[in-house]
Amino acid sequence: MALAAGWGGPARAQTAAPERVINIYNWSDYIDPKMLDAFTKETGIKVVYDTYDNNEILETKLLAGRSGYDLVVPSGPFLQRLIRAGVFQPLDKAKIPNLVHAWPEITGRLAAYDPGNAYAVDYMWGTTGIGVNLGLVRERLGAAQPLNTWNLVLNGGLLNKLKDCGVMLLDSPEDLIPSLLPAYGLKPDTRRWDDITQVTDALFKVRGAVRKFHSSEYINGLANGDLCFAVGYSGDVMQAKKRAEEAKNDVEIAYYVPREGSLMWFDAFAIPKDAPHAAEAHAFIDYMMRPEVAAANTNFVSYASGNAAAKKFVKAEILGNPGIYPDDATLQRLFVNTAWDDRTQRFVTRAWTRVRTGR
């Protein structure tokens, strides 16, 4: 017995503590890598970081269960649908003291998808709008043509004039359809199939001018001059502008919130119900909600943060850019769209497949 005790004590003392880790699944090009390193250095929590470029991929993994991820970043309607499906665990807000820095305006709008903000914390937000290569577009459409209008997308005569210099649209009916509905005087959150068909029929008619439907490739396409027109996310277009300026390639990129209105979107942190490391996920959210950290991420990706206190640390050229941080008048033109019911979702999926494939 003494021998056994002698062996047992040291063995237990030498047992290494389990490694702390967090497995994150986030959008591509969407965080300052230095913040991940800083988080690990401070907390000792290793970050395993995977990326995706559309919500459908994330949704499929989460609905299948046992994804292995501890923290994910779905967009508004997908967040809403996944909450209804019981995919996420409620946040323990006592473990996220930096929630005091959340922006009430953004938190309030996010509540359309997450009532009471029980399951999610906004990471970044922005708008869906129009990105252009000013030189190429003005050359083809003239100086008098307004560029802050969805008419550029829906008018085949205008869009065809841009075909040769490259047109790309988001591969996302959840973004495009609600964004374009107000151009017809229709509610962006409509469930009427005839309303939705009006938009998808219009897109089907102009699809011949579209080089590709994709939700991230347009960033480099605009930056290097391979595209002249894209419907995309505000921060992505600003990233393209930044890359073009750094490359000094004489490509001038601009972003417009259409005058008819624009979809406001939110990407929010949420913790899957079966997350293996929920404590680490809460620690990561809290770290990301530090004003200086939130600002560093905004300065890196050129998206507006859901952190109000971060604004004082955001670069002046980003904070003062109405395409990233809209003024009050522009905010009034922004709207949100909630998740479609299952029948409407199936209808939209079929209609969107027709737009994308031409069949």
Side-chain angles (χ1 to χ4, degrees), residues 6 29 36 59 71 92 99 113 137 148 152 160 184-185 188 195 230 262 267-268 290 334 339 350:
D29 300 310
L36 299 180
E59 185 176 43
L71 192 70
D92 184 347
L99 276 180
Y113 311 105
V137 169
N148 64 335
L152 294 178
N160 276 318
Y184 294 102
D195 295 348
S262 181
D267 290 334
R290 288 185 189 176
L334 303 180
R350 290 194 299 270

Side-chain angles (χ1 to χ4, degrees), residues 28-192:
S28 58
D29 300 310
Y30 209 29
I31 198 166
D32 184 345
K34 293 178 182 177
M35 294 303 100
L36 299 180
D37 294 338
F39 171 75
T40 298
K41 184 176 180 179
E42 178 175 318
T43 65
I45 300 172
K46 176 183 176 182
V47 177
V48 179
Y49 195 88
D50 295 336
T51 63
Y52 53 90
D53 66 6
N54 67 64
N55 278 290
E56 287 80 2
I57 293 173
L58 171 64
E59 185 176 43
T60 298
K61 284 183 179 290
L62 293 178
L63 290 176
R66 298 185 179 180
S67 67
Y69 291 111
D70 303 302
L71 192 70
V72 297
V73 193
S75 303
F78 286 85
L79 171 68
Q80 183 183 21
R81 241 185 357 244
L82 290 165
I83 289 172
R84 289 175 180 171
V87 165
F88 298 125
Q89 58 179 271
L91 297 172
D92 184 347
K93 295 182 181 180
K95 296 179 179 177
I96 315 175
N98 282 316
L99 276 180
V100 297
H101 303 303
W103 190 343
E105 172 77 19
I106 304 307
T107 300
R109 297 201 186 207
L110 182 64
Y113 311 105
D114 175 22
N117 302 105
Y119 293 90
V121 175
D122 185 72
Y123 172 52
M124 298 285 180
W125 65 276
T127 56
T128 300
I130 294 169
V132 299
N133 178 319
L134 281 172
L136 296 178
V137 169
R138 287 298 185 202
E139 181 182 317
R140 287 158 176 78
L141 300 185
Q145 171 61 49
L147 301 182
N148 64 335
T149 172
W150 289 121
N151 195 42
L152 294 178
V153 178
L154 299 170
N155 184 321
L158 291 174
L159 203 62
N160 276 318
K161 290 181 180 180
L162 304 177
K163 179 179 179 179
D164 71 300
C165 60
V167 172
M168 192 173 288
L169 305 184
L170 287 170
D171 184 12
S172 174
E174 289 79 12
D175 287 295
L176 273 185
I177 293 173
S179 293
L180 295 171
L181 280 163
Y184 294 102
L186 301 170
K187 294 180 179 179
D189 210 24
T190 183
R191 299 297 188 268
R192 295 184 69 248

Side-chain angles (χ1 to χ4, degrees), residues 275-345:
H277 311 100
E280 287 76 8
H282 281 87
F284 187 84
I285 295 174
D286 190 57
Y287 187 83
M288 290 293 110
M289 287 301 290
R290 288 185 189 176
E292 298 89 342
V293 174
N297 286 322
T298 282
N299 290 334
F300 186 82
V301 303
S302 298
Y303 277 112
S305 170
N307 189 314
K311 287 191 280 187
K312 63 184 177 182
F313 302 107
V314 172
K315 292 177 180 177
E317 61 267 29
I318 292 177
L319 188 63
N321 189 321
I324 303 174
Y325 282 91
D327 57 28
D328 289 340
T330 304
L331 272 172
Q332 298 308 309
R333 302 205 314 271
L334 303 180
F335 48 79
V336 299
N337 66 309
T338 51
W340 289 307
D341 58 86
D342 290 344
R343 287 184 68 248
T344 302
Q345 181 65 56

